[in-house]
Amino acid sequence: MGTKYVYDFEEGNKDMKNVLGGKGANLAEMTGMGIPVPPGFTITTEACVYYSKNGEYPPGLAEEIDEHLATLEKKMGKKLGDSDDPLLVSVRSGARASMPGMMDTVLNLGLNDKSVEGLTAKTGNPRFAYDSYRRFAAMYGDVVLGLKPESKEERDPFDVLLDAKKEAAGVELDNELTADDLKDLVGQFKAEIKGREGTDFTQDPKEQLKGAILAVFDSWDNDRAVTYRRMNNIPSDWGTAVNVQAMVFGNTGETSGTGVGFTRNPAAGENLVFGEFLMNAQGEDVVAGIRTPLPLEQLHDELPEAYDELMRIRNVLEEHYRDMQDFEFTIQEKKLWMLQTRNGKRTGFAAVKIAVDMEKEGLITPEEAVSRVEPEGLNDLLRPVFNPAEKAKAAKDGRMIATGTKAGPGAATGQVVFFAADAHDRKTEDPSAQLLLVRHETSPEDIKGMAAAEGFLTQFGGATSHAALVARQMGKVCIVGCAALDLDYEARIVRIKSDNKVHEVKEGDWLSIDGTTGEVYLGKIETLPSEVEQVLFQNTLKPGDSQVYQDFVTFLGWADNIRKINIRTNADTPGQSEQAIAFGAEGIGLCRTEHMFFGGDRILAVRQMILAQDEAGRRVALDKLFPMQKEDFIGIFRVMGERPVTIRLLDPPLHEFLPHTQQDIVAVANECGMSVSDIEERNRRLKEANPMLGHRGCRLGITYPEIYEMQVKAVIEAACQVKGEGIDVKPEIMIPLVGSAREMQVTREMAVSAADEVIASRGIELAYMVGTMIELPRACVVADKIAENAEFFSFGTNDLTQTTFGISRDDVRGFLPTYLDKDIYEVDPFQRLDQEGVGDLMKLAVERGRSTRKNIKLGICGEHGGEPISVKFCHRIGLNYVSCSPFRVPIARLAAAQAALEDNQ
Ligand code: PEP
Ligand code: MG
């Protein structure tokens, strides 16, 4: 038998996501659990992949679809598009990873001029039949025939006709239109399709079905899906499955309806069912914002039995999946049907709360809790809040002018833009722009512009609308369904009604939104650090007063128990070191000493050192720098206590420190006792064509040994002094940019002799290490020889990426966007470690380094040390620690724990 491309819902289960997509796998799972699900079948992702490559169905698919359709028709006792009693189906996309709203759907398929009459006769409900038909015509026109708005100002052509119809009929809502109105509308829709596309709206149900299936396949590669995949690192070769399912109808009258929900609050995480519904409506109405949906609790008043059944299923789903679920349902004449369930997307905020709560409820283990939170999501807990004093003042001044549904926590202040494309353009022009996107509602086309905004504010839509969904995923601040807004896109103005007053906010005006409370404020409001930071650093909040902080600590405590590797930080000052410890850092993996050279009046001495004519002149300058460096290190050692501290000797090219302005040149000339022209001449000589590959790193230490000697002495004197204070300091001296065994040997000898001289003169016992950064491909290859003189390796993957790819770190901007667009690189290799190339060199260095020195200590201190997927790789190749900036330490702790858990899978 050839490949099987089609599965009935009875044939699948939740573990078949790769083949059936998330939606198909879970429809199958719910079917197996005995939950009421309308019957149907799923066409596999493999069929889509074949179609994407070959532009046609794979062999055998058409026949398989026919067979499964026949089975479905038998089960339902109806035939697709039959003129007496038609079976109608929905055709819905569903990839392995959820891509909400990015791909296409067609509902009510099987209707035509004859079957609509059959449906009317069978149900005795012409209004319902024609309502379904006009929906189908519009969706088919849009999705299959491609009839869409042509500019950002243009509205959906079917919506325009619908609105005109409502106006002519003198009604406000679509559900107030009569059967005749709707019938007339179908005619108009068909004419619109014929006029714009030159094709007739097909009457053949089989042709409709094939058109819809191909359109769903094609939607895998539409712009918004491609952008979404890129943003979420979903591979482009997965393809989408297609679910063909018997329709159930929420639009048959006042005992029918449809809705969506979450088993817990996806924004804040509270253990309360959360969602919304519309009576007498079909699925797309809830998210489209045409009518404002009602909160799910009100379903209790409308249809108590259906509500109770939904609550029962909510509990069954949570117990079965042991995770928060996001579900869709339809009620047809009081009978509840489930149309989807999946693990619900949630803010990082909610993810931590739900994980901690579910552990407390005994539903999951700490290990499961740890695996449930995306490491980057922890950033949500560190998101800004408004300065309470400023916010209170704004409220007192009457600037709190509206509220809406909170959909993405945090505080955002920005200049108003009304079009996503404008937000994207403005941010591209000015990356520092702070923008707030204000719209009726957002749609998947807006995705790029949404990424450019600090937050979103919408007039319509509820907590499950597109804007809310995207906010949760992108970690943006968001308020939806803010009814006080009245947008005028053409005039680029939003009027906000508040207590009999109307405030006009124009494009470019400032507005502030609090996504944690749902409040909208006029003007700018200062933002402050998160609750976690207020407890840890500002001391303005007590731990006991912040549930967020307590959950953060509990959760990361579990991660710490699980992870195997250590987490260090890249810090250059005592302040940063303190911050990093508060976030859980266990040492410093990289202290860049050159950053200290720019401080205060040091730069003059640094310049004197560089510009000196000879060694004697350099030593004069170094003597000035020595006490300052020593003080720096004392500060850091005191803060770090017994934790290891890796200090890297001077690395950047000297010209970075040179004077450029005339004023600076004169000052240095005076300090050095040299002429201005001498300084200018020296400046010229130090200039390099490729400084990144020039006179930097250990090459500096080898040509000017007195610089490294001064730095080592400063480190060791500081260490001796702090040790004398009773702290068992652990200094680690690190040599940068080593590429040969001799470089390591020579610099190590220099460092050891300088260090031992200090230790001997102090009469103190002090253990220290000397090691190197591994930042060059050659260093990886000769790592066994370098390890003879290096007690540790720390992978400097910023430089290692630069030198492996042969791309300058500073010049990547010119071509990277094109490379990403054309899929030449999947991601920016400076952000996420290139495991295949750079990572393989790292593996080689690990192996060869260990072959010489079995217990060599191994770490990473490039930016990748705080990027979750790279952290997991570092765990797998056996590094002892990763080191990252202080604010990424919690993320690295979590990623390292997840890496340890993944070992057991
Ligand atoms: C590196 O190259 O990865 C590194 C940490 O050093 P720097 O970024 O200072 O060159
Ligand atoms: Mg480097």
Side-chain angles (χ1 to χ4, degrees):
M1 210 181 91
T3 314
K4 179 173 165 67
Y5 289 114
V6 185
Y7 290 78
D8 277 335
F9 292 166
E10 285 83 356
E11 295 178 285
N13 63 55
K14 71 176 179 1
D15 301 321
M16 291 173 70
K17 284 202 182 79
N18 291 359
V19 186
L20 301 179
K23 188 179 288 161
N26 285 321
L27 284 169
E29 184 78 9
M30 285 197 289
T31 303
M33 288 163 70
I35 288 176
V37 172
F41 56 86
T42 304
I43 303 168
T44 65
T45 55
E46 285 162 348
C48 175
V49 171
Y50 183 98
Y51 169 79
S52 292
K53 279 199 193 121
N54 301 285
E56 60 184 12
Y57 273 177
L61 176 59
E63 294 75 9
E64 263 191 88
I65 292 174
D66 284 346
E67 281 166 30
H68 286 266
L69 180 62
T71 313
L72 179 61
E73 287 176 334
K74 212 157 139 206
K75 252 183 234 161
M76 302 300 295
K78 298 169 196 268
K79 282 203 161 330
L80 185 70
D82 187 75
S83 52
D84 293 330
D85 182 15
L87 167 67
L88 304 188
V89 296
S90 64
V91 179
R92 299 192 292 163
S93 61
R96 267 197 229 186
S98 112
M99 294 172 52
M102 299 297 139
M103 290 178 294
D104 286 330
T105 289
V106 181
L107 303 179
N108 306 305
L109 189 139
L111 279 172
N112 57 27
D113 295 349
K114 288 203 181 111
S115 63
V116 71
E117 292 301 333
L119 190 63
T120 303
K122 196 76 198 170
T123 58
N125 188 344
R127 194 204 164 273
F128 151 69
Y130 278 96
D131 186 49
S132 304
Y133 196 17
R134 64 97 187 171
R135 289 168 184 277
F136 174 51
M139 264 195 171
Y140 201 85
D142 170 6
V143 170
V144 183
L145 304 173
L147 207 171
K148 294 180 196 295
E150 276 155 20
S151 72
K152 70 183 180 191
E153 277 90 5
E154 197 194 344
R155 293 187 52 217
D156 181 86
F158 300 111
D159 281 351
V160 173
L161 292 171
L162 176 63
D163 283 351
K165 189 75 191 167
K166 284 194 283 194
E167 203 175 319
V171 301
E172 261 190 35
L173 300 174
D174 57 311
N175 57 352
E176 295 165 330
L177 291 171
T178 63
D180 284 339
D181 292 334
L182 293 163
K183 185 172 182 175
D184 193 41
L185 209 47
V186 169
Q188 290 181 17
F189 283 3
K190 286 200 290 192
E192 183 80 6
I193 290 169
K194 176 88 177 167
R196 290 236 210 172
E197 301 295 310
T199 42
D200 277 315
F201 171 72
T202 179
Q203 296 284 310
D204 175 356
K206 284 271 174 79
E207 202 181 302
Q208 291 174 352
L209 182 60
K210 182 160 184 183
I213 292 170
L214 292 183
V216 174
F217 281 167
D218 282 330
S219 70
W220 173 252
D221 279 319
N222 71 29
D223 284 350
R224 50 186 208 239
V226 169
T227 305
Y228 185 90
R229 286 205 293 273
R230 189 162 297 138
M231 289 193 330
N232 293 281
N233 294 303
I234 297 172
S236 54
D237 60 3
W238 277 3
T240 179
V242 182
N243 298 291
V244 179
Q245 187 174 23
M247 283 293 298
V248 283
F249 300 95
N251 57 334
T252 61
E254 290 311 316
T255 56
S256 299
T258 186
V260 292
F262 293 86
T263 55
R264 302 187 187 214
N265 186 306
E270 299 111 317
N271 186 5
L272 290 171
V273 74
F274 182 81
E276 50 211 0
F277 74 103
L278 278 174
M279 295 303 286
N280 198 8
Q282 278 198 347
E284 77 273 15
D285 300 342
V286 180
V287 279
I290 295 170
R291 278 185 269 154
T292 296
L294 304 171
L296 208 46
E297 304 85 73
Q298 280 188 32
L299 182 62
H300 181 63
D301 306 332
E302 303 272 350
L303 294 170
E305 291 103 40
Y307 179 82
D308 290 345
E309 172 71 347
L310 185 63
M311 291 307 108
R312 183 190 71 79
I313 290 176
R314 174 226 177 214
N315 295 339
V316 169
L317 286 175
E318 265 214 356
E319 288 213 350
H320 183 80
Y321 284 93
R322 299 162 62 245
D323 199 354
M324 185 265 262
Q325 296 295 297
D326 160 357
F327 54 82
E328 290 180 17
F329 63 92
T330 282
I331 301 164
Q332 180 173 339
E333 280 138 31
K334 294 191 181 172
K335 158 97 179 132
L336 177 74
W337 295 92
M338 298 304 288
L339 299 182
Q340 172 161 317
T341 190
R342 61 184 170 195
N343 292 339
K345 293 239 188 300
R346 58 205 86 174
T347 64
F349 222 83
V352 172
K353 175 154 178 57
I354 290 171
V356 172
D357 285 353
M358 284 192 164
E359 196 275 347
K360 282 188 205 148
E361 292 158 26
L363 212 52
I364 59 176
T365 63
E367 286 75 17
E368 284 170 311
V370 162
S371 68
R372 293 279 171 88
V373 179
E374 286 286 339
E376 295 281 356
L378 291 178
N379 277 329
D380 272 19
L381 280 75
L382 305 177
R383 280 225 241 128
V385 293
F386 283 127
N387 175 339
E390 275 212 19
K391 185 171 155 176
K393 182 168 180 315
K396 201 163 146 255
D397 294 347
R399 283 164 52 202
M400 207 287 274
I401 48 167
T403 57
T405 306
K406 54 193 184 192
T413 188
Q415 290 178 282
V416 168
V417 279
F418 295 108
F419 297 103
D422 295 344
H424 175 70
D425 293 348
R426 281 217 34 210
K427 193 76 178 178
T428 313
E429 271 164 34
D430 174 12
S432 68
Q434 282 174 273
L435 306 169
L436 212 61
L437 183 64
V438 180
R439 291 194 57 78
H440 280 147
E441 70 261 359
T442 63
S443 75
E445 276 87 0
D446 295 334
I447 198 94
K448 262 195 203 161
M450 295 174 85
E454 307 294 314
F456 329 131
L457 172 63
T458 68
Q459 181 174 354
F460 303 118
T464 50
S465 63
H466 180 261
L469 234 101
V470 174
R472 277 196 283 283
Q473 229 176 330
M474 285 188 181
K476 300 277 182 182
V477 178
C478 178
I479 296 175
V480 294
C482 181
L485 307 185
D486 176 13
L487 270 99
D488 183 341
Y489 285 138
E490 256 168 55
R492 300 192 177 219
I493 279 183
V494 55
R495 297 184 182 85
I496 308 177
K497 227 189 289 154
S498 155
D499 299 335
N500 305 328
K501 251 203 240 147
V502 176
H503 305 271
E504 282 202 349
V505 178
K506 293 191 282 301
E507 188 170 75
D509 289 350
W510 287 82
L511 213 55
S512 301
I513 58 173
D514 189 330
T516 316
T517 58
E519 296 159 336
V520 180
Y521 292 83
L522 283 177
K524 228 173 165 173
I525 301 180
E526 190 204 1
T527 53
L528 277 186
S530 63
E531 282 192 23
V532 171
E533 288 166 81
Q534 290 186 44
V535 173
L536 289 176
F537 310 131
Q538 271 82 28
N539 297 324
T540 47
L541 194 59
K542 291 203 193 75
D545 292 339
S546 170
Q547 190 60 47
V548 176
Y549 172 78
Q550 290 173 40
D551 288 351
F552 180 77
V553 170
T554 305
F555 181 77
L556 283 170
W558 293 332
D560 290 343
N561 289 339
I562 295 165
R563 72 182 155 87
K564 303 267 170 30
I565 60 174
N566 289 110
I567 311 298
R568 294 198 192 183
T569 190
N570 295 355
D572 308 331
T573 64
Q576 287 171 8
S577 310
E578 239 164 316
Q579 238 175 9
I581 290 176
F583 278 137
E586 298 165 298
I588 288 183
L590 175 64
C591 170
R592 292 177 164 106
T593 52
E594 61 271 13
H595 289 179
M596 301 167 169
F597 280 19
F598 285 104
D601 47 5
R602 300 170 182 198
I603 189 69
L604 201 59
V606 173
R607 286 174 175 158
Q608 189 184 357
M609 167 191 85
I610 299 168
L611 294 164
Q613 311 272 31
D614 49 25
E615 187 186 326
R618 265 193 303 278
R619 284 196 184 274
V620 172
L622 288 168
D623 286 346
K624 289 186 197 163
L625 287 170
F626 174 80
M628 303 185 212
Q629 285 250 288
K630 183 176 154 186
E631 277 312 306
D632 291 334
F633 297 135
I634 289 174
I636 290 177
F637 284 134
R638 283 193 182 135
V639 170
M640 295 306 293
E642 302 189 348
R643 301 175 185 86
V645 176
T646 307
I647 292 164
R648 180 179 74 186
L649 303 184
L650 193 64
D651 178 33
L654 291 179
H655 80 91
E656 280 194 12
F657 302 102
L658 288 178
H660 293 296
T661 65
Q662 201 56 31
Q663 198 187 358
D664 287 346
I665 291 178
V666 172
V668 181
N670 289 341
E671 191 78 10
C672 302
M674 288 163 70
S675 72
V676 166
S677 63
D678 278 349
I679 302 277
E680 284 168 343
E681 170 57 20
R682 194 86 173 113
N683 258 353
R684 267 193 296 278
R685 281 209 210 184
L686 282 166
K687 197 167 159 49
E688 295 176 310
N690 289 308
M692 271 293 178
L693 300 175
H695 196 172
R696 59 172 284 217
C698 65
R699 299 157 198 165
L700 283 176
I702 289 172
T703 44
Y704 303 117
E706 53 285 356
I707 299 179
Y708 277 13
E709 185 190 302
M710 178 280 284
Q711 291 196 297
V712 171
K713 285 191 168 163
V715 170
I716 299 298
E717 281 220 6
C720 287
Q721 179 164 332
V722 178
K723 178 128 194 212
E725 293 165 10
I727 301 175
D728 191 15
V729 290
K730 298 198 177 61
E732 301 176 345
I733 291 164
M734 179 153 78
I735 314 289
L737 218 74
V738 164
S740 82
R742 269 293 282 165
E743 281 173 333
M744 188 64 223
Q745 187 189 5
V746 169
T747 46
R748 180 191 165 81
E749 279 165 8
M750 269 167 27
V752 168
S753 109
D756 288 353
E757 194 188 311
V758 173
I759 293 170
S761 75
R762 284 296 198 119
I764 260 185
E765 257 188 51
L766 177 81
Y768 66 94
M769 282 185 166
V770 180
T772 182
M773 296 195 70
I774 298 286
E775 309 180 86
L776 299 172
R778 190 177 196 283
C780 298
V781 177
V782 301
D784 48 342
K785 301 199 179 73
I786 291 174
E788 285 167 11
N789 284 295
E791 290 160 275
F792 64 88
F793 286 171
S794 175
F795 288 96
T797 45
N798 304 332
D799 273 307
L800 189 58
T801 300
Q802 164 169 267
T803 49
T804 301
F805 278 82
I807 308 170
S808 154
R809 286 157 71 170
D810 304 327
D811 297 321
V812 65
R813 263 169 299 151
F815 60 90
L816 188 66
T818 311
Y819 264 48
L820 295 176
D821 258 358
K822 298 197 169 188
D823 263 346
I824 303 216
Y825 294 163
E826 237 178 65
V827 288
D828 176 354
F830 288 104
Q831 282 185 18
R832 175 170 303 160
L833 193 76
D834 158 49
Q835 298 183 15
E836 193 183 20
V838 177
D840 220 42
L841 282 168
M842 290 170 71
K843 275 197 230 165
L844 186 74
V846 167
E847 206 180 285
R848 295 198 175 167
R850 285 212 174 113
S851 73
T852 302
R853 195 185 285 268
K854 203 164 134 255
N855 292 323
I856 190 165
K857 199 193 275 191
L858 300 167
I860 178 175
C861 64
E863 290 306 307
H864 306 94
E867 191 282 315
I869 294 178
S870 312
V871 170
K872 291 181 181 183
F873 176 78
C874 292
H875 165 96
R876 288 200 300 276
I877 65 169
L879 300 196
N880 303 101
Y881 68 87
V882 298
S883 186
C884 57
S885 62
F887 273 74
R888 298 202 70 84
V889 166
I891 295 169
R893 286 161 74 189
L894 176 54
Q898 291 181 349
L901 291 173
E902 285 163 18
D903 279 349
N904 307 327
Q905 281 169 8

